[in-house]
Amino acid sequence: MYDTVFLLVKATIQTKHKTAHEAITEIQQQATCTITNTKKVKIKKLKFMDYKLKV
């Protein structure tokens, strides 16, 4: 069976950026994430989704 699931990540951060938007943009561009296969689940594709903030 193929399906799409959305996994949320909670991150507590400290930043020198002036706005949360700048910090989120930096994280989206430079962060890495490792999610591995399990015995019954094979990861086919993984990507960070853009989070748009209203400024």
Side-chain angles (χ1 to χ4, degrees):
M1 171 181 78
Y2 282 84
D3 206 345
T4 300
V5 297
F6 296 88
L7 304 174
L8 300 177
V9 176
K10 180 179 178 179
T12 302
I13 64 167
Q14 180 177 358
T15 181
K16 292 182 180 181
H17 286 291
K18 292 183 179 186
T19 67
H21 182 67
E22 292 172 346
I24 291 169
T25 299
E26 181 177 324
I27 291 168
Q28 284 179 241
Q29 292 173 348
Q30 298 182 23
T32 60
C33 178
T34 303
I35 298 178
T36 60
N37 297 330
T38 66
K39 204 174 203 180
K40 294 184 178 181
V41 179
K42 183 175 181 180
I43 303 297
K44 301 300 281 181
K45 182 179 178 183
L46 183 65
K47 74 171 194 166
F48 280 104
M49 299 184 69
D50 288 338
Y51 183 73
K52 307 283 188 205
L53 283 178
K54 293 181 180 177
V55 181

